[in-house]
C-alpha cells in the first residue's frame, strides 16, 4: 500500500485537472479520479512498470472519462445555448435540466508554482466550455497532446487507436477549437495588480450598492452569464441595468475573493429576510487590461463550500450565536 501511494499520489491533482477539462464538472472529475485510483490499486501488482506510472494513470483516467461521456450530454454555459437577451428587465428562468458547466477551485488542481500559469490557462471557463464542443475522443487527444504534451505514440496506446487516428483526431480537434474558442491574448493573470483592482471594484460595487463602480469596471462589450438559466447579456448597456437591479442596498451583499478556473473570482453572500448573510454562489471574472470582459455567475450556494467557506457568513453566524 505504501509503495502504491508513493508512486501514484503525486499525480492526483493534475489528473483531477485533466478529468475536469474532459468532463466540465468538478464533482464528476473528482468521482472519476477516485475511480481511477481504485482501478489503479486493483491493477498495481500487474502493472510491472510497462510504462511510466503517470502515463498508466492517464490511460485509466482518460478512458474512465470517455465512458462517463458516453452516457451524458456536453456541459454548457448559457452563451452555448443561444444568443443574449436585449431586455435587461428579463427575469432569468431556471433551467435545471441543462447539464451546466461547473467551476473548479484553483486549489484543487495545483500546488506547484511552476505549473500555475499553464494550469490557469487550460482551466479558464471559456476554454473548458469550448472543449465541450469537441467529440469525446478528439477532446481527449487534444488534451493529451497539446495540453499535457504526451507523445502521439503514447496517446495511441492510451486510447487503443492507431497513430494515424491520433493525428487525424488532433487535426480535427484543433480546427474545431479555432472556430469556437475565444482569443485569450488580452486576459490578465489574476495575480497582476490590474486584475486585483478590478476584482476589488466588482466586490465593492455589490457591498456598497454602487452600480457606478460596475460601470467603471466593465468593458463596453462585457458579457454577463448566469449559470442555471438560459438568460445572458452582452454589452455594458444591457449588463449594467440588470446588475443595478441586483445590488440592492448597502449591506445586502458580502464578497470574498477566491481563485477559480485560473481567474479572478468572488464568493457571494446575500442577506435574507432575517438579516442572515447566506451563501449565494460564486462569480468568475474574465479580466483584461481594459476592464472586465465577462462575468459568469454560478448561483449555487453549495459551491462556496468547495472553497472552504461556510454557508452562512462567519460574522453573521457569530451574531446569531450570541444574540447580539
Amino acid at each position: 500500500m505504501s509503495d502504491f501511494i508513493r508512486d501514484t499520489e503525486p499525480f492526483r491533482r493534475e489528473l483531477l485537472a485533466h478529468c475536469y477539462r474532459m468532463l466540465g464538472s468538478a464533482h464528476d472529475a473528482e468521482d472519476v479520479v477516485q475511480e481511477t485510483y481504485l482501478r489503479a490499486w486493483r491493477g498495481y501488482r500487474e502493472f510491472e512498470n510497462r510504462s511510466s506510472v503517470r502515463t498508466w494513470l492517464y490511460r485509466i483516467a482518460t478512458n474512465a472519462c470517455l465512458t462517463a461521456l458516453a452516457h451524458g450530454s456536453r456541459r454548457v454555459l448559457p452563451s452555448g445555448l443561444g444568443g443574449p437577451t436585449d431586455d435587461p428587465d428579463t427575469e432569468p428562468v431556471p433551467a435545471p435540466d441543462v447539464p451546466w458547466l461547473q467551476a473548479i477551485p484553483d486549489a484543487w488542481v495545483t500546488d506547484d508554482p511552476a505549473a500555475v500559469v499553464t494550469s490557469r490557462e487550460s482551466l479558464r471557463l471559456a476554454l473548458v466550455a469550448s472543449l465541450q464542443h469537441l467529440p469525446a475522443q478528439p477532446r481527449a487527444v487534444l488534451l493529451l497532446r497539446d495540453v499535457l504534451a504526451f507523445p502521439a505514440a503514447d496517446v495511441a496506446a492510451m486510447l487503443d487507436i492507431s497513430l494515424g487516428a491520433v493525428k487525424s483526431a488532433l487535426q480535427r480537434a484543433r480546427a474545431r477549437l479555432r472556430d469556437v474558442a475565444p482569443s485569450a491574448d488580452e486576459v490578465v493573470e489574476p495575480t497582476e495588480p490590474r486584475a486585483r483592482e478590478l476584482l476589488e471594484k466588482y466586490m465593492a460595487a455589490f457591498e456598497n450598492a454602487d452600480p457606478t463602480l460596475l460601470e467603471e469596471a466593465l468593458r463596453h462589450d462585457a458579457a454577463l452569464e448566469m449559470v442555471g438559466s438560459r438568460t445572458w447579456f452582452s454589452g455594458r448597456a444591457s449588463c449594467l441595468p440588470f446588475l443595478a437591479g441586483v445590488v440592492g442596498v448597502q449591506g445586502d451583499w458580502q464578497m470574498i475573493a477566491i481563485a477559480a478556473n485560473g481567474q479572478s473570482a468572488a464568493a457571494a453572500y446575500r442577506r435574507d429576510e432575517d438579516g442572515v448573510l447566506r451563501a449565494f454562489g460564486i462569480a468568475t471574472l474574465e479580466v483584461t487590461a481594459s476592464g472586465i470582459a465577462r462575468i459568469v455567475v454560478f448561483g449555487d450556494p453549495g459551491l462556496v463550500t468547495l472553497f472552504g467557506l461556510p454557508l452562512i457568513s462567519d460574522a453573521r453566524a457569530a451574531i446569531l450565536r450570541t444574540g447580539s
Side-chain angles (χ1 to χ4, degrees), residues 25-47:
S25 163
H27 293 300
D28 289 354
E30 194 173 30
D31 289 344
V32 168
V33 169
Q34 294 288 1
E35 181 184 348
T36 296
Y37 274 79
L38 179 60
R39 291 186 187 182
W41 164 245
R42 289 171 176 168
Y44 182 63
R45 290 186 178 180
E46 288 74 36
F47 168 53

Side-chain angles (χ1 to χ4, degrees), residues 20-71:
Y20 171 72
R21 296 182 199 103
M22 283 289 297
L23 301 172
S25 163
H27 293 300
D28 289 354
E30 194 173 30
D31 289 344
V32 168
V33 169
Q34 294 288 1
E35 181 184 348
T36 296
Y37 274 79
L38 179 60
R39 291 186 187 182
W41 164 245
R42 289 171 176 168
Y44 182 63
R45 290 186 178 180
E46 288 74 36
F47 168 53
E48 297 177 345
N49 294 314
R50 289 185 296 273
S51 64
S52 72
V53 171
R54 182 172 182 264
T55 299
W56 177 58
L57 288 172
Y58 269 98
R59 176 173 188 159
I60 298 171
T62 302
N63 282 284
C65 287
L66 292 174
T67 298
L69 289 168
H71 303 291

Side-chain angles (χ1 to χ4, degrees), residues 121 124 181-189 192 219 286-289:
E121 292 173 352
R124 286 177 181 140
S183 172
D185 293 344
E186 297 182 336
V187 172
V188 174
E189 292 296 329
E192 295 183 20
R219 288 188 355 177
E286 182 181 311
V287 175
T288 69

Side-chain angles (χ1 to χ4, degrees), residues 2 5 44 74 76 127 157 303:
S2 60
I5 294 173
Y44 182 63
R74 72 180 178 94
V76 296
L127 175 61
L303 284 177

Side-chain angles (χ1 to χ4, degrees), residues 18-273:
H18 174 60
C19 292
Y20 171 72
R21 296 182 199 103
M22 283 289 297
L23 301 172
S25 163
H27 293 300
D28 289 354
E30 194 173 30
D31 289 344
V32 168
V33 169
Q34 294 288 1
E35 181 184 348
T36 296
Y37 274 79
L38 179 60
R39 291 186 187 182
W41 164 245
R42 289 171 176 168
Y44 182 63
R45 290 186 178 180
E46 288 74 36
F47 168 53
E48 297 177 345
N49 294 314
R50 289 185 296 273
S51 64
S52 72
V53 171
R54 182 172 182 264
T55 299
W56 177 58
L57 288 172
Y58 269 98
R59 176 173 188 159
I60 298 171
T62 302
N63 282 284
C65 287
L66 292 174
T67 298
L69 289 168
H71 303 291
S73 302
R74 72 180 178 94
R75 291 185 174 271
V76 296
L77 293 174
S79 57
L81 296 176
T85 179
D86 296 326
D87 182 6
D89 295 324
T90 297
E91 186 70 24
V93 178
D97 296 333
V98 174
W100 296 108
L101 190 69
Q102 295 178 346
I104 193 168
D106 282 8
W108 276 27
V109 293
T110 184
D111 58 359
D112 178 4
V116 165
V117 173
T118 300
S119 179
R120 283 182 188 143
E121 292 173 352
S122 64
L123 288 170
R124 286 177 181 140
L125 282 170
L127 175 61
V128 177
S130 299
L131 289 170
Q132 307 307 302
H133 287 271
L134 304 178
Q137 190 176 85
R139 189 187 314 173
V141 170
L142 180 81
L143 290 171
L144 292 169
R145 289 286 289 122
D146 284 1
V147 174
L148 296 162
F150 279 106
D154 285 358
V155 175
M158 288 181 194
L159 302 179
D160 196 23
I161 59 178
S162 69
L163 191 58
V166 168
K167 294 178 179 179
S168 177
L170 183 59
Q171 289 176 350
R172 294 196 306 273
R174 285 172 174 168
R176 178 60 175 149
L177 201 61
R178 281 195 295 269
D179 291 338
V180 299
S183 172
D185 293 344
E186 297 182 336
V187 172
V188 174
E189 292 296 329
T191 53
E192 295 183 20
R194 178 58 170 161
R196 293 196 297 270
E197 173 195 345
L198 289 169
L199 174 61
E200 288 169 3
K201 188 168 286 190
Y202 172 84
M203 294 192 298
F206 278 85
E207 294 186 333
N208 299 323
D210 187 354
T212 60
L213 292 176
L214 290 170
E215 185 173 7
E216 294 171 7
L218 296 183
R219 288 188 355 177
H220 71 91
D221 58 349
L224 171 64
E225 304 196 52
M226 288 153 290
V227 175
S229 164
R230 294 173 180 268
T231 304
W232 67 287
F233 302 96
S234 180
R236 187 168 55 195
S238 296
C239 295
L240 281 176
F242 178 82
L243 290 170
V246 172
V247 296
V249 299
Q250 188 171 9
D252 276 357
W253 293 90
Q254 181 187 53
M255 296 282 173
I256 299 174
I258 57 174
N261 288 84
Q263 298 174 275
S264 301
Y269 290 79
R270 192 173 193 177
R271 187 176 61 187
D272 65 15
E273 294 178 353

